[in-house]
Amino acid sequence: MIKKSTYPIVDISIRNVARSVGVAASTLLAAATSIVVGRVVDVLASGAPGVGTPLSLALVLAVASVAATVLLGEWVPTWLGVRRFLDSAVACARNILAAPQRAFARREKGHFVNVLMNSTDTYGTLLYAGASVRIPGAVLALVGTVAITALIDPLMAALIVVYAPVLWLALRLPTRSLAELERDILPVQDAWLGESKRIVENKRAVNAAGAEGYFSARYRDRSEAFLCTVTRYRFLELLISNLPALLSCALAAAMMGVAAWRCVLGAAGVGQVLVAYSLAQLVQAPLTAIAQRVAQVRGNIPHVERLREVAAAAAEPSGFEALSTMGSGDPAARVDGTLWATPARDEDGKRLWAGEFEVRPGELVVVKGANGSGKSRLLDFLRGLSDPADLDGQAALSLEALHAAYLTYPVPVFPGNLAYNLLGAAADPEAARVLDLGDLTERAITDQPLNLSLGERQKLGLLRALSRPEPVVLLDEPLANLDAGVRARLCDHLAGLRGRKTVVAIMHSGELDAAADRIYEVRDGRLSRVK
């Protein structure tokens, strides 16, 4: 269970209290400016001398109010929101990478793209900055403005106190609907983003298959569903934004009426009418901010729940911890049981194989079998990249196996150069010689399909795996897409690693059979040792 202290919404720290006071300062300075301007009007109306001093003070307060609005009221909370957004995005990315594979597989890619891009932004800029600084600042501004108004005229202050719950009740229904709609919009947005990502990632394959119409139709359907939900959401946002401005006219008229009545009775000067109008406008700003920010917080709580869900997934045990072994005499890996591809364990489920598998430290082990027989799933299991519940039986995996260097598919490629694509490892000179890298060492590498041939991608993946310092290496079809000369040199190199590294290789040919310490093969759903 993840605590609410993970991605907190309300964070009452000394710094945030100071920031909230800064947000309130702009409104309070504007209120003070209005009072002084009202005094200037009264002096001018009476014809008395000495207007210069209050006028100069009004100018100073006005400049200070503008500076406070820009710097304290807007820039400081905006900076805080963006800073929180970026920090949350980094933390979310780490949590996604740290989550066990089974937790990651519970959602499609679009969900995690949405969380990483949109939920972190919403949390930082709207929720955290809003609930921790902007809303408290607006409350302080409202209380301060009401107090200033009460000093001028208690009746006008009473009008504000009556108006506040009226505005709140008027916004209650749309804000509640907005909060409910937010939960509906996120799954639809997930699907839309997932389809967008699918098109971008598979453009070449889509074109090659002539499936442009099919993917366009799928994207249009996802977009239409997203559009309908977004339209309702935007309408509620506009209603919440504009309703306070409409209601503020009534408050301004009432407060100016009170001031005009005081003037008629001779209890106040004409400048108080101007002060009443200014205060009515000023008090509207924090009232609207409170209503809108609270609506934003309520409506966007699902984003925080998603971030906490990812954090919970990162803290979730993979299940492989209980299988790890550390003794020097223990095998590098031992699996004994039935491996399944689906949760079902009956005739509706897909059983990959049943049998016993063992790898001793320093051995070269070959695994063979038809496509789809579960060989790659075995390597994923050894590396801790699947769900241990997929195995009905017993397993013991060394820490070295769970952190093995792994050649898997598709081979990940990152824009940059060869050194960058080794992900922090230094290229092993012998492996580089064996693979005959050609101009890969100098070429700019991109993730575009035509930048590298399949053979070059294979060499890049092999160099990455063989250059790692880990003592266990897992290779899924290491000879794929390589020419005969490189295949022969690579087999000799892998044979030479015996005793220095533990190597498990999935093979479809017999080129490593002579050098292998053990050979396993999947036949008719059984994993058996044949050497």
Side-chain angles (χ1 to χ4, degrees), residues 281-355:
Q281 298 303 310
L282 288 173
V283 81
Q284 185 64 37
L287 274 173
T288 303
I290 293 170
Q292 291 179 348
R293 298 291 177 184
V294 169
Q296 288 176 339
V297 170
R298 289 185 59 187
N300 288 289
I301 290 295
H303 285 285
V304 183
E305 294 172 350
R306 286 176 156 222
L307 287 168
R308 289 174 178 167
E309 176 188 300
V310 173
E316 178 183 324
S318 68
F320 285 95
E321 300 89 352
L323 305 181
S324 63
T325 60
M326 299 182 63
S328 58
D330 292 329
R334 179 188 294 123
V335 180
D336 185 6
T338 302
L339 190 67
W340 295 82
T342 58
R345 295 294 193 266
D346 51 27
E347 57 189 20
D348 295 326
K350 181 180 179 181
R351 192 187 80 163
L352 295 174
W353 46 259

Side-chain angles (χ1 to χ4, degrees), residues 224-240:
E224 288 293 336
F226 184 45
L227 175 63
C228 292
T229 313
V230 168
T231 302
R232 293 167 55 202
Y233 188 86
R234 294 289 183 252
F235 172 76
L236 290 173
E237 279 191 325
L238 288 173
L239 183 62
I240 293 170

